[in-house]
Amino acid sequence: MWYVIQVKTGNEEEISTQCSRIVDPAVLEKSFIPYCEQMKKYHGEWHKEKKVLFPGYVFLVSGDKDRLFLELKKVTGLTKLLGTGQEVVPLTLPEIEFLQRFGKEDQIVEMSKGIIENDRVTITSGPLKGNEALIKKIDRHKRRAYLEIEMFGRKVETQVGVEIVKKRE
């Protein structure tokens, strides 16, 4: 099962590393942070950068929820395990499948490419292809797509990189 812990934004790497180091490997299969590629312009040129897809969250894969919960008490800096308040709730199968499809094995959402025709976005390549319905807004200048995704049992907003190669009216 996949679980999510909430951490202070900016501390995702540190907490993920701590989890991998401190938590018993018999309990924790994997600790990871989903990333996305985004373009950023500096020194007059565009550069591809890796950004945290869900700031403030670290993902854990474990088959033993109760032991994981106990082991995580050794980790300093984590805010809380996401759940209903009384119980830690794993991600749903559709959420896991979405993350696997979107970020693939290494959990990095690559840049997508698309066109805009008559104010309609069509993604021609990349992880957003076929997921156009998730796009709430596109900032062509910053080369970003703003998404609204059903995750952690609620709607979550995030950004991914997108290159609009053509716009036609």
Side-chain angles (χ1 to χ4, degrees):
M1 301 306 270
W2 289 25
Y3 299 94
V4 182
I5 52 175
Q6 198 170 18
V7 300
K8 192 167 171 237
T9 302
N11 289 2
E12 298 90 355
E13 284 284 350
E14 180 192 328
I15 301 296
S16 181
T17 303
Q18 260 194 74
C19 288
S20 299
R21 215 178 52 239
I22 296 170
V23 177
D24 184 345
V27 176
L28 182 67
E29 290 172 40
K30 183 171 148 188
S31 168
F32 68 94
I33 305 160
Y35 289 96
C36 67
E37 292 178 345
Q38 289 184 352
M39 300 301 284
K40 191 164 181 152
K41 193 172 189 177
Y42 48 90
H43 304 303
E45 290 181 25
W46 286 97
H47 302 267
K48 196 180 281 185
E49 293 187 342
K50 214 168 70 164
K51 298 273 188 207
V52 174
L53 186 61
F54 300 107
Y57 297 100
V58 174
F59 292 71
L60 307 171
V61 181
S62 174
D64 188 340
K65 175 178 75 174
D66 298 329
R67 280 196 54 210
L68 176 66
F69 188 72
L70 289 171
E71 287 282 324
L72 286 173
K73 292 185 186 305
K74 302 178 196 169
V75 178
T76 52
L78 76 90
T79 320
K80 65 181 178 187
L81 270 156
L82 289 194
T84 59
Q86 303 302 314
E87 189 180 9
V88 182
V89 180
L91 289 181
T92 64
L93 194 57
E95 290 171 336
I96 293 170
E97 287 170 348
F98 172 79
L99 285 168
Q100 288 173 326
R101 195 174 60 247
F102 216 55
K104 301 209 171 45
E105 186 61 36
D106 54 3
Q107 282 300 317
I108 298 173
V109 179
E110 296 172 347
M111 290 283 296
S112 293
K113 285 192 168 134
I115 57 173
I116 297 176
E117 284 184 291
N118 302 323
D119 291 333
R120 236 181 106 240
V121 177
T122 305
I123 302 299
T124 54
S125 68
L128 282 176
K129 187 175 180 172
N131 290 303
E132 287 89 348
L134 299 174
I135 300 171
K136 294 297 158 210
K137 182 179 116 182
I138 287 194
D139 184 334
R140 290 183 67 202
H141 181 70
K142 289 186 176 176
R143 300 181 184 186
R144 289 197 187 134
Y146 295 82
L147 311 179
E148 194 173 80
I149 300 169
E150 193 73 39
M151 187 68 58
F152 324 129
R154 59 188 165 88
K155 288 195 184 308
V156 177
E157 292 182 1
T158 190
Q159 309 167 16
V160 295
V162 68
E163 184 87 45
I164 300 298
V165 290
K166 202 185 302 175
K167 182 176 180 175
R168 289 189 287 222
E169 294 304 319

